[in-house]
Amino acid sequence: MKLKRFLLRWYPPGIVLEYTRRNGDVETKSIDLLNLTPETDIEVLVNQIVFEEPLIKENKKEALRTMIYKLIDKIENKDNQRYFLFKILRAHILPLTNCAFNKSGSRFITGSYDRTCRVWDTLSGEELLTLDGHKNVVYAIAFNNPFGDKIVTGSFDKTAKLWDANTGECIHTLKGHHTEIVCVAFSTQGTTVATGSMDNTAKLWDVESGQQIASLEGHTAEIVSLNFNTDGDKILTGSFDNTAKVWDVRTGACYHTLAGHKGEISSTQFDFTGDYCVTGSIDRSAKLWEVASGQCMETLRGHTDEVLDVCFNSTGNRLVTSSADCTARVYNVMTGGIVSILIGHEGEISKVHFSPNGAKIITASSDRTCRLWNVETGECLQVLEGHGDEIFSCAFNYEGDTIITGSKDNTCRIWKDNNFMPHDDGDGGGDFDGDYGQGALR
């Protein structure tokens, strides 16, 4: 085996090795640096990597050292970063249901009660495509990130559709559910798409052929949340039957039923490693689970009203919960201890996300504002104001320099950080090889 080049993965921090096998095949392997911090001893880390990884020889140490410094620069907290309103888009005549970025944030999509999904250019605000064909509300939408060349839409018409994100062509219509589809997700590899429905089932579909791979049956109430793990071999579903389930993507078999909540599940997520997952419930708690055993590791209490959303940071050492009690809470995943409480909203917080580098959190609230917070101190860094009704969606792009917010006032707002300079944004986004060029890995 011969090393071709290094590639950087910004979030979570890691180095990807692209190498050639003796038969000429090119493959990749990842070195995860999930514990990397600005305080890390770089020399010790470089020596450890060279010692443990036979592909990296002594003469590559300098390139390795340079890349680790670049990773550290990305994860350092920039507390002075502020966002300004860049664009307001009145996307649809009828109410919006959801909005989502592609990886780089160069484009985003909106779903609506007008039965369409629209694709937008973030920089110009221009509508690029209208994805028309559903016979009812388009409720759930997603890009196949990191690739960004396909879109899935899930509708109240009981179908999902796969679209070419560049041409707007409908590639497949996914039929099989008996009632409304309310959640959708692509696997990270882009080969499988999942749909969750009010008919108590989730279904897995082959992206290439549009054929159903498996029907995940066992929940006794509607499925409202689903997520693939990073490897794409497991999927997590959350249901109004008070349980979550972990399934084998290949066979459709249920590995574990995660039972213990006393109320409906509102949200679910795997951490980056896939070793743990989190569930949030209207019983006012979140639970941390070990995926391999299906055991509950920790019950995270403290909220005084329903938990509406849960989210891990990119490395998996912190998680945040948001609640109808108008607060969000940040927890240390290893200890279960509370890190900070985010207090300031005057309405329920329906959505919460970490910034890509994990230093900030964004919350979306029914009080018509989004807020940015320091993860470790809980300090409110900025209030994003201007929407005329409750905000139901917020997201960072991969670089963390652009935010999208979606509101019941029927607008999407694009926010850029204070260092923003207009340029051709492309779909690059953060990969770097040993020759100081752009890497090809997404």
Side-chain angles (χ1 to χ4, degrees):
M1 295 190 300
K2 185 180 180 210
L3 182 66
K4 280 190 71 180
R5 59 175 177 169
F6 298 108
L7 298 161
L8 277 186
R9 185 189 65 213
W10 297 134
Y11 313 116
I15 294 168
V16 179
L17 309 179
E18 188 176 274
Y19 63 95
T20 311
R21 289 194 171 277
R22 283 182 180 167
N23 63 4
D25 289 350
V26 176
E27 296 189 9
T28 60
K29 65 189 294 191
S30 299
I31 300 172
D32 296 331
L33 301 174
L34 304 186
N35 297 317
L36 188 69
T37 72
E39 289 73 47
T40 298
D41 188 319
I42 306 298
E43 290 312 306
V44 170
L45 180 58
V46 167
N47 288 331
Q48 180 187 349
I49 292 171
V50 172
F51 177 74
E52 293 177 356
E53 179 47 66
L55 279 170
I56 303 177
K57 307 302 181 193
E58 285 284 331
N59 64 353
K60 297 294 183 188
K61 270 189 176 181
E62 187 54 43
L64 186 60
R65 189 179 294 112
T66 301
M67 286 193 293
I68 292 172
Y69 276 117
K70 283 183 173 286
L71 284 173
I72 285 176
D73 182 61
K74 277 285 185 185
I75 62 177
E76 279 193 300
N77 185 16
K78 298 173 178 65
D79 249 357
N80 63 344
Q81 184 182 37
R82 294 292 180 273
Y83 294 82
F84 66 92
L85 180 61
F86 178 67
K87 276 201 167 50
I88 303 174
L89 297 169
R90 300 187 189 281
H92 299 259
I93 298 168
L94 294 178
L96 289 168
T97 56
N98 237 314
C99 49
F101 273 128
N102 66 350
K103 179 181 167 182
S104 71
S106 63
R107 292 187 294 164
F108 70 95
I109 49 178
T110 53
S112 170
Y113 276 79
D114 69 8
R115 306 180 177 187
T116 70
C117 172
R118 300 188 185 201
V119 184
W120 305 83
D121 181 275
T122 307
L123 206 55
S124 69
E126 177 190 357
E127 181 186 322
L128 300 175
L129 298 166
T130 298
L131 310 182
D132 198 355
H134 281 295
K135 295 179 172 62
N136 208 326
V137 175
V138 174
Y139 190 76
I141 55 178
F143 273 104
N144 65 335
N145 291 335
F147 309 103
D149 62 347
K150 291 186 180 68
I151 292 164
V152 63
T153 54
S155 170
F156 285 2
D157 69 8
K158 310 175 192 175
T159 73
K161 289 179 182 285
L162 282 167
W163 309 81
D164 184 308
N166 297 313
T167 67
E169 176 195 359
C170 181
I171 304 166
H172 299 295
T173 298
L174 311 178
K175 297 179 180 177
H177 283 294
H178 301 301
T179 54
E180 298 95 325
I181 292 172
V182 293
C183 46
V184 295
F186 279 102
S187 65
T188 310
Q189 295 72 23
T191 53
T192 309
V193 70
T195 54
S197 169
M198 306 285 274
D199 67 10
N200 306 354
T201 73
K203 294 183 186 295
L204 302 177
W205 312 82
D206 179 77
V207 170
E208 191 64 35
S209 68
Q211 295 299 304
Q212 182 179 306
I213 300 167
S215 185
L216 310 181
E217 299 178 11
H219 281 297
T220 57
E222 48 264 54
I223 291 172
V224 294
S225 176
L226 45 77
N227 313 90
F228 285 94
N229 65 350
T230 304
D231 291 340
D233 60 349
K234 294 184 182 70
I235 190 167
L236 174 64
T237 55
S239 169
F240 278 2
D241 66 8
N242 301 2
T243 73
K245 290 177 183 283
V246 180
W247 310 80
D248 184 333
V249 168
R250 190 175 54 83
T251 66
C254 180
Y255 282 119
H256 302 294
T257 298
L258 310 181
H261 281 294
K262 295 180 173 63
E264 297 167 355
I265 304 295
S266 59
S267 51
T268 60
Q269 196 186 17
F270 281 107
D271 78 337
F272 172 74
T273 66
D275 294 337
Y276 300 98
C277 65
V278 63
T279 53
S281 168
I282 68 168
D283 69 6
R284 307 180 181 185
S285 77
K287 289 181 182 286
L288 183 67
W289 307 83
E290 184 182 59
V291 172
S293 66
Q295 295 299 304
C296 179
M297 309 294 290
E298 202 80 50
T299 298
L300 307 172
R301 296 186 175 91
H303 284 297
T304 57
D305 208 335
E306 300 175 0
V307 172
L308 302 176
D309 199 19
V310 293
C311 186
F312 282 103
N313 67 356
S314 68
T315 59
N317 67 348
R318 295 281 184 273
L319 71 83
V320 62
T321 58
S322 71
S323 170
D325 68 9
C326 311
T327 73
R329 289 174 168 255
V330 183
Y331 296 89
N332 181 316
V333 172
M334 287 302 101
T335 66
I338 191 88
V339 175
S340 57
I341 304 175
L342 314 183
I343 300 171
H345 278 297
E346 295 172 4
E348 68 177 32
I349 303 171
S350 60
K351 283 287 180 286
V352 63
H353 290 287
F354 282 92
S355 62
N357 71 356
K360 294 185 185 69
I361 283 169
I362 188 169
T363 49
S365 171
S366 62
D367 69 8
R368 308 180 181 188
T369 71
C370 280
R371 287 176 179 250
L372 290 156
W373 311 82
N374 180 294
V375 170
E376 299 302 315
T377 68
E379 176 193 359
C380 180
L381 302 172
Q382 188 177 359
V383 182
L384 305 182
E385 297 179 287
H387 277 296
D389 205 337
E390 113 181 33
I391 301 171
F392 57 78
S393 183
C394 62
F396 286 97
N397 69 333
Y398 182 77
E399 283 287 334
D401 60 9
T402 310
I403 290 168
I404 187 170
T405 56
S407 167
K408 284 189 175 174
D409 69 7
N410 235 22
T411 68
C412 286
R413 289 178 176 237
I414 306 296
W415 311 79
K416 294 279 188 182
D417 84 356
N418 46 9
N419 296 315
F420 170 69
M421 293 289 287
H423 63 284
D424 181 14
D425 198 19
D427 261 344
D431 302 308
F432 161 87
D433 67 23
D435 298 323
Y436 300 91
Q438 274 290 325
L441 194 78
R442 293 289 183 263

